[in-house]
mmCIF file of all heavy atoms in Angstrom:
data_model
loop_
_atom_site.group_PDB
_atom_site.id
_atom_site.type_symbol
_atom_site.label_atom_id
_atom_site.label_comp_id
_atom_site.label_asym_id
_atom_site.label_seq_id
_atom_site.Cartn_x
_atom_site.Cartn_y
_atom_site.Cartn_z
ATOM 1 N N THR X 1 100.957 110.743 97.892
ATOM 2 C CA THR X 1 101.239 110.288 99.236
ATOM 3 C C THR X 1 100.074 110.600 100.159
ATOM 4 O O THR X 1 99.755 111.762 100.377
ATOM 5 C CB THR X 1 102.523 110.930 99.786
ATOM 6 O OG1 THR X 1 103.601 110.631 98.909
ATOM 7 C CG2 THR X 1 102.831 110.419 101.180
ATOM 8 N N PRO X 2 99.405 109.588 100.721
ATOM 9 C CA PRO X 2 98.260 109.863 101.592
ATOM 10 C C PRO X 2 98.705 110.341 102.958
ATOM 11 O O PRO X 2 99.816 110.102 103.413
ATOM 12 C CB PRO X 2 97.567 108.485 101.684
ATOM 13 C CG PRO X 2 98.668 107.499 101.479
ATOM 14 C CD PRO X 2 99.631 108.141 100.535
ATOM 15 N N SER X 3 97.797 111.046 103.633
ATOM 16 C CA SER X 3 97.992 111.413 105.031
ATOM 17 C C SER X 3 97.288 110.381 105.909
ATOM 18 O O SER X 3 96.113 110.039 105.670
ATOM 19 C CB SER X 3 97.404 112.799 105.305
ATOM 20 O OG SER X 3 98.070 113.793 104.563
ATOM 21 N N LEU X 4 97.995 109.878 106.903
ATOM 22 C CA LEU X 4 97.416 108.879 107.809
ATOM 23 C C LEU X 4 96.992 109.591 109.098
ATOM 24 O O LEU X 4 97.732 110.398 109.658
ATOM 25 C CB LEU X 4 98.458 107.796 108.123
ATOM 26 C CG LEU X 4 99.106 107.137 106.910
ATOM 27 C CD1 LEU X 4 100.045 106.030 107.342
ATOM 28 C CD2 LEU X 4 98.055 106.607 105.930
ATOM 29 N N LYS X 5 95.790 109.268 109.577
ATOM 30 C CA LYS X 5 95.228 109.998 110.696
ATOM 31 C C LYS X 5 94.481 109.057 111.646
ATOM 32 O O LYS X 5 93.950 108.024 111.231
ATOM 33 C CB LYS X 5 94.221 111.077 110.184
ATOM 34 C CG LYS X 5 94.799 112.075 109.209
ATOM 35 C CD LYS X 5 93.719 113.046 108.739
ATOM 36 C CE LYS X 5 94.294 114.055 107.765
ATOM 37 N NZ LYS X 5 93.252 115.024 107.329
ATOM 38 N N GLU X 6 94.456 109.441 112.892
ATOM 39 C CA GLU X 6 93.573 108.886 113.909
ATOM 40 C C GLU X 6 93.582 107.357 113.994
ATOM 41 O O GLU X 6 92.535 106.712 113.822
ATOM 42 C CB GLU X 6 92.152 109.403 113.715
ATOM 43 C CG GLU X 6 92.078 110.912 113.782
ATOM 44 C CD GLU X 6 90.660 111.460 113.543
ATOM 45 O OE1 GLU X 6 89.682 110.756 113.823
ATOM 46 O OE2 GLU X 6 90.561 112.617 113.078
ATOM 47 N N PRO X 7 94.740 106.726 114.198
ATOM 48 C CA PRO X 7 94.749 105.274 114.362
ATOM 49 C C PRO X 7 93.982 104.859 115.618
ATOM 50 O O PRO X 7 93.900 105.618 116.593
ATOM 51 C CB PRO X 7 96.242 104.956 114.496
ATOM 52 C CG PRO X 7 96.875 106.208 114.971
ATOM 53 C CD PRO X 7 96.092 107.316 114.360
ATOM 54 N N HIS X 8 93.452 103.655 115.574
ATOM 55 C CA HIS X 8 92.674 103.126 116.706
ATOM 56 C C HIS X 8 92.833 101.619 116.755
ATOM 57 O O HIS X 8 92.689 100.930 115.727
ATOM 58 C CB HIS X 8 91.190 103.503 116.570
ATOM 59 C CG HIS X 8 90.394 103.196 117.798
ATOM 60 N ND1 HIS X 8 90.029 104.165 118.704
ATOM 61 C CD2 HIS X 8 89.866 102.033 118.267
ATOM 62 C CE1 HIS X 8 89.346 103.597 119.690
ATOM 63 N NE2 HIS X 8 89.227 102.311 119.464
ATOM 64 N N LEU X 9 93.163 101.075 117.917
ATOM 65 C CA LEU X 9 93.283 99.632 118.111
ATOM 66 C C LEU X 9 92.022 99.079 118.768
ATOM 67 O O LEU X 9 91.555 99.629 119.788
ATOM 68 C CB LEU X 9 94.495 99.311 118.977
ATOM 69 C CG LEU X 9 95.863 99.401 118.307
ATOM 70 C CD1 LEU X 9 96.972 99.501 119.342
ATOM 71 C CD2 LEU X 9 96.100 98.198 117.388
ATOM 72 N N LEU X 10 91.467 98.031 118.225
ATOM 73 C CA LEU X 10 90.304 97.375 118.795
ATOM 74 C C LEU X 10 90.340 95.900 118.450
ATOM 75 O O LEU X 10 90.364 95.523 117.270
ATOM 76 C CB LEU X 10 89.000 97.997 118.283
ATOM 77 C CG LEU X 10 87.722 97.417 118.876
ATOM 78 C CD1 LEU X 10 87.617 97.741 120.366
ATOM 79 C CD2 LEU X 10 86.485 97.926 118.150
ATOM 80 N N GLY X 11 90.377 95.056 119.477
ATOM 81 C CA GLY X 11 90.411 93.618 119.236
ATOM 82 C C GLY X 11 91.588 93.140 118.448
ATOM 83 O O GLY X 11 91.465 92.176 117.665
ATOM 84 N N GLY X 12 92.726 93.807 118.611
ATOM 85 C CA GLY X 12 93.939 93.433 117.872
ATOM 86 C C GLY X 12 93.999 93.930 116.451
ATOM 87 O O GLY X 12 94.985 93.699 115.743
ATOM 88 N N VAL X 13 92.961 94.613 116.000
ATOM 89 C CA VAL X 13 92.938 95.164 114.635
ATOM 90 C C VAL X 13 93.278 96.655 114.718
ATOM 91 O O VAL X 13 92.783 97.380 115.608
ATOM 92 C CB VAL X 13 91.543 94.979 113.981
ATOM 93 C CG1 VAL X 13 91.518 95.597 112.583
ATOM 94 C CG2 VAL X 13 91.184 93.512 113.939
ATOM 95 N N LEU X 14 94.134 97.111 113.810
ATOM 96 C CA LEU X 14 94.477 98.527 113.729
ATOM 97 C C LEU X 14 93.653 99.185 112.640
ATOM 98 O O LEU X 14 93.686 98.747 111.481
ATOM 99 C CB LEU X 14 95.972 98.696 113.437
ATOM 100 C CG LEU X 14 96.476 100.132 113.273
ATOM 101 C CD1 LEU X 14 96.257 100.931 114.562
ATOM 102 C CD2 LEU X 14 97.952 100.132 112.870
ATOM 103 N N TYR X 15 92.907 100.230 113.016
ATOM 104 C CA TYR X 15 92.120 101.024 112.073
ATOM 105 C C TYR X 15 92.738 102.404 111.975
ATOM 106 O O TYR X 15 93.335 102.904 112.914
ATOM 107 C CB TYR X 15 90.674 101.145 112.561
ATOM 108 C CG TYR X 15 89.938 99.840 112.756
ATOM 109 C CD1 TYR X 15 89.972 99.179 113.994
ATOM 110 C CD2 TYR X 15 89.227 99.259 111.726
ATOM 111 C CE1 TYR X 15 89.301 97.974 114.181
ATOM 112 C CE2 TYR X 15 88.540 98.046 111.901
ATOM 113 C CZ TYR X 15 88.594 97.410 113.122
ATOM 114 O OH TYR X 15 87.934 96.232 113.314
ATOM 115 N N TRP X 16 92.598 103.020 110.821
ATOM 116 C CA TRP X 16 93.065 104.397 110.670
ATOM 117 C C TRP X 16 92.366 105.038 109.470
ATOM 118 O O TRP X 16 91.754 104.364 108.635
ATOM 119 C CB TRP X 16 94.577 104.439 110.490
ATOM 120 C CG TRP X 16 95.119 103.922 109.174
ATOM 121 C CD1 TRP X 16 95.373 104.635 108.035
ATOM 122 C CD2 TRP X 16 95.433 102.547 108.879
ATOM 123 N NE1 TRP X 16 95.853 103.786 107.054
ATOM 124 C CE2 TRP X 16 95.918 102.511 107.542
ATOM 125 C CE3 TRP X 16 95.383 101.348 109.608
ATOM 126 C CZ2 TRP X 16 96.311 101.320 106.929
ATOM 127 C CZ3 TRP X 16 95.784 100.173 108.982
ATOM 128 C CH2 TRP X 16 96.233 100.161 107.672
ATOM 129 N N LEU X 17 92.460 106.362 109.423
ATOM 130 C CA LEU X 17 91.916 107.113 108.288
ATOM 131 C C LEU X 17 93.054 107.452 107.331
ATOM 132 O O LEU X 17 94.180 107.755 107.746
ATOM 133 C CB LEU X 17 91.244 108.400 108.756
ATOM 134 C CG LEU X 17 90.060 108.236 109.701
ATOM 135 C CD1 LEU X 17 89.458 109.585 110.067
ATOM 136 C CD2 LEU X 17 88.977 107.356 109.073
ATOM 137 N N GLU X 18 92.744 107.415 106.055
ATOM 138 C CA GLU X 18 93.739 107.699 105.031
ATOM 139 C C GLU X 18 93.180 108.751 104.074
ATOM 140 O O GLU X 18 92.206 108.493 103.356
ATOM 141 C CB GLU X 18 94.084 106.403 104.287
ATOM 142 C CG GLU X 18 95.246 106.520 103.326
ATOM 143 C CD GLU X 18 95.689 105.144 102.820
ATOM 144 O OE1 GLU X 18 96.258 104.385 103.639
ATOM 145 O OE2 GLU X 18 95.433 104.845 101.635
ATOM 146 N N GLN X 19 93.773 109.915 104.088
ATOM 147 C CA GLN X 19 93.338 110.991 103.176
ATOM 148 C C GLN X 19 94.216 110.960 101.935
ATOM 149 O O GLN X 19 95.449 111.028 102.008
ATOM 150 C CB GLN X 19 93.453 112.364 103.852
ATOM 151 C CG GLN X 19 92.929 113.489 102.982
ATOM 152 C CD GLN X 19 93.051 114.839 103.656
ATOM 153 O OE1 GLN X 19 93.010 114.945 104.880
ATOM 154 N NE2 GLN X 19 93.196 115.884 102.880
ATOM 155 N N ARG X 20 93.570 110.876 100.766
ATOM 156 C CA ARG X 20 94.269 110.616 99.515
ATOM 157 C C ARG X 20 94.186 111.835 98.581
ATOM 158 O O ARG X 20 93.138 112.102 98.006
ATOM 159 C CB ARG X 20 93.672 109.394 98.821
ATOM 160 C CG ARG X 20 93.803 108.121 99.662
ATOM 161 C CD ARG X 20 93.036 106.976 99.043
ATOM 162 N NE ARG X 20 93.329 105.719 99.740
ATOM 163 C CZ ARG X 20 92.725 104.578 99.485
ATOM 164 N NH1 ARG X 20 91.762 104.524 98.543
ATOM 165 N NH2 ARG X 20 93.056 103.476 100.156
ATOM 166 N N PRO X 21 95.302 112.536 98.430
ATOM 167 C CA PRO X 21 95.288 113.700 97.532
ATOM 168 C C PRO X 21 95.023 113.323 96.086
ATOM 169 O O PRO X 21 94.430 114.126 95.353
ATOM 170 C CB PRO X 21 96.698 114.303 97.721
ATOM 171 C CG PRO X 21 97.528 113.204 98.301
ATOM 172 C CD PRO X 21 96.605 112.360 99.105
ATOM 173 N N HIS X 22 95.408 112.121 95.660
ATOM 174 C CA HIS X 22 95.171 111.720 94.274
ATOM 175 C C HIS X 22 93.716 111.365 94.031
ATOM 176 O O HIS X 22 93.329 111.128 92.861
ATOM 177 C CB HIS X 22 96.068 110.539 93.889
ATOM 178 C CG HIS X 22 95.874 109.328 94.735
ATOM 179 N ND1 HIS X 22 96.318 109.261 96.044
ATOM 180 C CD2 HIS X 22 95.305 108.122 94.489
ATOM 181 C CE1 HIS X 22 96.030 108.080 96.537
ATOM 182 N NE2 HIS X 22 95.415 107.369 95.622
ATOM 183 N N GLU X 23 92.914 111.327 95.064
ATOM 184 C CA GLU X 23 91.446 111.144 94.934
ATOM 185 C C GLU X 23 90.710 112.390 95.404
ATOM 186 O O GLU X 23 89.680 112.325 96.052
ATOM 187 C CB GLU X 23 90.988 109.900 95.722
ATOM 188 C CG GLU X 23 91.577 108.611 95.193
ATOM 189 C CD GLU X 23 91.056 107.386 95.930
ATOM 190 O OE1 GLU X 23 89.995 107.499 96.597
ATOM 191 O OE2 GLU X 23 91.703 106.316 95.871
ATOM 192 N N ARG X 24 91.278 113.537 95.058
ATOM 193 C CA ARG X 24 90.702 114.837 95.375
ATOM 194 C C ARG X 24 90.535 115.034 96.872
ATOM 195 O O ARG X 24 89.604 115.700 97.330
ATOM 196 C CB ARG X 24 89.375 115.026 94.647
ATOM 197 C CG ARG X 24 89.493 114.930 93.132
ATOM 198 C CD ARG X 24 88.134 114.903 92.442
ATOM 199 N NE ARG X 24 87.408 116.153 92.641
ATOM 200 C CZ ARG X 24 87.525 117.205 91.865
ATOM 201 N NH1 ARG X 24 88.366 117.194 90.845
ATOM 202 N NH2 ARG X 24 86.828 118.295 92.092
ATOM 203 N N GLY X 25 91.440 114.457 97.642
ATOM 204 C CA GLY X 25 91.428 114.641 99.079
ATOM 205 C C GLY X 25 90.452 113.749 99.834
ATOM 206 O O GLY X 25 90.219 113.949 101.036
ATOM 207 N N ARG X 26 89.883 112.761 99.174
ATOM 208 C CA ARG X 26 88.938 111.849 99.832
ATOM 209 C C ARG X 26 89.608 111.113 100.982
ATOM 210 O O ARG X 26 90.759 110.681 100.875
ATOM 211 C CB ARG X 26 88.399 110.834 98.811
ATOM 212 C CG ARG X 26 87.331 109.890 99.363
ATOM 213 C CD ARG X 26 86.853 108.924 98.300
ATOM 214 N NE ARG X 26 87.775 107.833 98.096
ATOM 215 C CZ ARG X 26 87.728 106.662 98.759
ATOM 216 N NH1 ARG X 26 86.805 106.478 99.717
ATOM 217 N NH2 ARG X 26 88.585 105.712 98.505
ATOM 218 N N THR X 27 88.870 110.957 102.088
ATOM 219 C CA THR X 27 89.376 110.225 103.250
ATOM 220 C C THR X 27 88.603 108.942 103.416
ATOM 221 O O THR X 27 87.356 108.924 103.382
ATOM 222 C CB THR X 27 89.254 111.094 104.531
ATOM 223 O OG1 THR X 27 90.035 112.261 104.375
ATOM 224 C CG2 THR X 27 89.755 110.315 105.749
ATOM 225 N N THR X 28 89.333 107.838 103.607
ATOM 226 C CA THR X 28 88.702 106.520 103.708
ATOM 227 C C THR X 28 89.182 105.810 104.977
ATOM 228 O O THR X 28 90.236 106.140 105.525
ATOM 229 C CB THR X 28 88.992 105.671 102.443
ATOM 230 O OG1 THR X 28 88.249 104.469 102.483
ATOM 231 C CG2 THR X 28 90.483 105.344 102.343
ATOM 232 N N LEU X 29 88.419 104.815 105.413
ATOM 233 C CA LEU X 29 88.753 104.037 106.606
ATOM 234 C C LEU X 29 89.500 102.784 106.177
ATOM 235 O O LEU X 29 89.051 102.049 105.309
ATOM 236 C CB LEU X 29 87.494 103.654 107.376
ATOM 237 C CG LEU X 29 87.663 102.783 108.621
ATOM 238 C CD1 LEU X 29 88.500 103.493 109.682
ATOM 239 C CD2 LEU X 29 86.292 102.425 109.201
ATOM 240 N N MET X 30 90.645 102.539 106.829
ATOM 241 C CA MET X 30 91.488 101.393 106.550
ATOM 242 C C MET X 30 91.585 100.501 107.767
ATOM 243 O O MET X 30 91.344 100.936 108.905
ATOM 244 C CB MET X 30 92.888 101.850 106.127
ATOM 245 C CG MET X 30 92.926 102.839 104.970
ATOM 246 S SD MET X 30 92.397 102.098 103.413
ATOM 247 C CE MET X 30 93.732 100.917 103.149
#
């Protein structure tokens, strides 16, 4: 189960960070 962090709205697009424990805690931009 990833942790969702720091959502941001820009130009109608929703961005957020996703920290993935199954990828050794790697955090990616969605």
Side-chain angles (χ1 to χ4, degrees):
T1 302
S3 296
L4 308 183
K5 304 177 180 181
E6 302 178 27
H8 190 100
L9 283 162
L10 182 67
V13 179
L14 178 61
Y15 301 90
W16 70 93
L17 299 181
E18 188 169 289
Q19 184 180 332
R20 298 172 172 175
H22 59 288
E23 296 183 18
R24 301 171 65 86
R26 183 180 79 90
T27 299
T28 187
L29 178 61
M30 305 293 294

